[in-house]
Amino acid sequence: MSNSVSLENIHKIKVFSGLTSNDIKLIAAKIIWHEYKKNTLILNYKEQSQDVYFILEGSVRATTFSISGKEISYQDLEPGDMFGELSAIDSGHRISSIVANSDCHLGKMSQHNFNDILASFPDVNKMVLLRLTGLIRYLCGKIYEFSALDVKDRIRAEIIRYARKNKISDNSAKIQHMPTHEQIAGNISTHREAVTKEFALLTKQGLINKNGRTIIVPDIDKLAGTLLEEI
């Protein structure tokens, strides 16, 4: 546990990015910083807790598990992101488990302090609303994909989603530390073998190039053009 985080680093948290240095100082006093090792369970599904977390370093995965133990994942969160705000707002249970994808440095804020900041800082309130709006749009998109796309196209849509977040030019991308085939399978509700087969086909067709966990997408539009439905 550590509170030795610079104000400049706290400013990198997206919901605090528009605040002044004096405002950041006030907020910094309400955050306790923790370090988590890779694969640590940070929050558990249906857990009754209301703290909010901010990611300074590392990444985490929002996931649940079926009765049979199958992992069902729906989102990876990166530095600058936050999680836990839904329970802080409505005092409900956690809607997913949060697991560390890598070693992480996270800030934790109590429900009381978080809601006090929302009431005191309109810019933070607006950023949280924008984040929640983005989450709703993302989940609506996922529902559409599950309804309209077959497994092959869901795999391609997942690659395209990562590619659009990791562009190196207007129409190409370099995705470093791509999730494993098993993790992708969990994201789109299929099995690892289907993902492996589709990655091999895309590589053969030249639509992606693989180097370990790094994926190059030379032409994002061309890959998107192979989908039966627009995403």
Side-chain angles (χ1 to χ4, degrees):
M1 183 185 302
S2 171
N3 265 336
S4 58
V5 171
S6 71
L7 299 182
E8 181 181 352
N9 280 330
I10 295 175
H11 208 268
K12 294 176 183 177
I13 304 298
K14 294 173 185 175
V15 295
F16 303 142
S17 60
L19 299 181
T20 66
S21 295
N22 286 335
D23 290 340
I24 291 289
K25 287 180 182 178
L26 294 174
I27 288 172
K30 301 178 185 294
I31 302 176
I32 298 174
W33 296 92
H34 299 260
E35 294 184 354
Y36 295 87
K37 294 294 184 182
K38 181 179 180 180
N39 296 325
T40 299
L41 178 65
I42 301 167
L43 293 177
N44 204 4
Y45 174 57
K46 289 195 174 180
E47 175 183 316
Q48 292 289 344
S49 64
Q50 285 79 41
D51 294 324
V52 180
Y53 292 77
F54 308 98
I55 306 175
L56 186 63
E57 296 175 354
S59 69
V60 303
R61 174 170 293 253
T63 187
T64 57
F65 294 89
S66 68
I67 294 175
S68 64
K70 179 181 178 182
E71 182 179 2
I72 304 169
S73 303
Y74 65 87
Q75 192 177 34
D76 288 340
L77 300 170
E78 307 292 340
D81 287 332
M82 64 185 293
F83 59 90
E85 70 274 22
L86 295 183
S87 292
I89 291 169
D90 70 0
S91 297
H93 64 68
R94 300 298 187 181
I95 62 171
S96 66
S97 296
I98 301 291
V99 179
N101 276 337
S102 63
D103 290 351
C104 294
H105 196 181
L106 308 179
K108 183 169 75 171
M109 180 183 290
S110 72
Q111 177 188 33
H112 172 79
N113 284 334
F114 178 71
N115 284 306
D116 184 56
I117 285 170
L118 292 185
S120 303
F121 296 94
D123 287 346
V124 176
N125 198 319
K126 182 178 179 179
M127 291 296 289
V128 170
L129 286 174
L130 287 173
R131 168 175 161 69
L132 295 178
T133 301
L135 179 60
I136 291 170
R137 290 183 181 278
Y138 170 80
L139 293 176
C140 286
K142 296 288 280 187
I143 292 171
Y144 168 78
E145 289 174 17
F146 281 123
S147 301
L149 304 182
D150 60 16
V151 169
K152 172 180 68 68
D153 278 353
R154 292 207 301 272
I155 295 168
R156 296 183 183 212
E158 194 74 1
I159 297 171
I160 292 166
R161 183 176 294 108
Y162 278 97
R164 287 172 175 167
K165 289 171 59 180
N166 294 274
K167 287 186 176 182
I168 54 176
S169 71
D170 287 343
N171 194 38
S172 63
K174 182 178 183 180
I175 310 166
Q176 295 182 321
H177 307 298
M178 186 76 179
T180 65
H181 291 185
E182 184 173 3
Q183 289 171 333
I184 293 172
N187 285 351
I188 62 171
S189 191
T190 187
H191 50 84
R192 179 180 56 80
E193 292 78 10
V195 177
T196 299
K197 180 179 179 181
E198 187 61 26
F199 267 67
L201 177 60
L202 293 173
T203 301
K204 182 178 180 180
Q205 294 175 338
L207 292 170
I208 65 172
N209 299 311
K210 287 191 65 179
N211 182 11
R213 292 281 296 279
T214 299
I215 302 293
I216 302 294
V217 183
D219 192 325
I220 299 172
D221 289 344
K222 185 175 180 180
L223 177 58
T226 67
L227 298 179
L228 296 177
E229 300 281 346
E230 184 178 353
I231 62 167

